[in-house]
Every structure is written in C-alpha cells, then in structure tokens.
Amino acid sequence: MSKVAKRVGDHVGERIRTRRTQLGLTQLQLAEALNISYQQVQKYETGANRISAGRLYELSVKLQVEISYFFGDLQIQESTPPMEHGGKGRATIELVRNYNEISDPSVRASVNSLIRALSDPNSSEMLTKEAI
C-alpha cells in the first residue's frame, strides 16, 4: 500500500470513529448494524483494513453522513511525479516498455532516430523505404 493510500485509510478510519462516538455508538453496535464483527470496525477505524466503496456507502448511511464526510479535512501534500513514459495511453506505455527491452545501443539509437524523424513534420529529411 502506498504512503498516500495509508494516510487516506487512516484519515477515513479516524472520521468513522469520530462520527460513531458523536452518535454515541459502540463499535459493537455499529458492527451489528453493518452485519460485521466489532473487530472489523476496529480495523477500519485504525486503518488496518481497507474499506471498499460499497462498505463506505453503508457506513455513510448508518452514520447518517454524506460519503464526502469521510474525506473532510484530508490534506495530502505529496504531489505525484509525472510518469517516465508520459502516461498518455496504452500505446505509449507499450512503446516505452518495448524500447527499454532493446539491449543493443546501436539499435536503440536507430529506433530513436526513426521515431524522432517520424514525429517531426518539418523534418528536412524524408524517410523512404530505402532509408528504412
């Protein structure tokens, strides 16, 4: 589990605990309302177990809050670095993976030159079947 996912899970668990106690419910009472064990509620509240979307919806109904309540005051400062391959789509990802599998440096250089020439519409060099 990533650090961000862990922090989100911990935050949601804290919000469940806060709302449950505001309503004066015990873990056992909430568990019975959800038809799960009190240990499972305990694990949700501590962030030890992840909560599915369906279960989060059930919790929002039983705790009488909107689903957005669980994410209130959540602040994640970590920005996600851009993906090495640009993350533009399956074809881009496959292209980068396949390119990275080429072990011969001269072949890699040739493929790189070919791609550069194909991607530059103003290239003064025309690619012909003979050149390829």
Side-chain angles (χ1 to χ4, degrees):
M1 180 185 310
S2 73
K3 290 179 184 180
V4 172
K6 172 105 175 81
R7 283 190 280 180
V8 171
D10 290 346
H11 180 80
V12 169
E14 289 175 27
R15 299 289 284 183
I16 292 169
R17 179 183 299 120
T18 299
R19 183 61 181 159
R20 177 182 57 77
T21 56
Q22 285 174 346
L23 294 174
L25 296 172
T26 65
Q27 288 179 338
L28 182 59
Q29 289 169 322
L30 180 57
E32 288 172 349
L34 296 169
N35 200 27
I36 60 176
S37 69
Y38 80 90
Q39 292 97 335
Q40 187 62 48
V41 171
Q42 192 173 46
K43 289 177 182 181
Y44 287 157
E45 290 184 353
T46 61
N49 281 11
R50 297 181 78 175
I51 303 169
S52 70
R55 180 71 71 203
L56 194 59
Y57 174 79
E58 289 181 73
L59 281 159
S60 72
V61 170
K62 300 299 181 187
L63 296 175
Q64 303 164 9
V65 292
E66 296 290 325
I67 290 177
S68 60
Y69 166 83
F70 299 113
F71 302 97
D73 302 328
L74 177 64
Q75 295 180 2
I76 303 293
Q77 301 300 326
E78 184 177 309
S79 64
T80 306
M83 298 176 134
E84 179 182 325
H85 52 68
K88 302 286 183 187
R90 181 174 300 268
T92 304
I93 294 167
E94 288 180 20
L95 178 67
V96 172
R97 283 184 184 150
N98 292 333
Y99 179 81
N100 286 335
E101 293 296 317
I102 300 171
S103 59
D104 185 333
S106 63
V107 173
R108 283 177 72 122
S110 296
V111 169
N112 194 30
S113 295
L114 174 64
I115 292 171
R116 190 177 312 121
L118 290 171
S119 66
D120 184 4
N122 299 320
S123 176
S124 59
E125 296 179 12
M126 290 289 294
L127 288 175
T128 64
K129 290 182 182 178
E130 294 82 24
I132 299 174

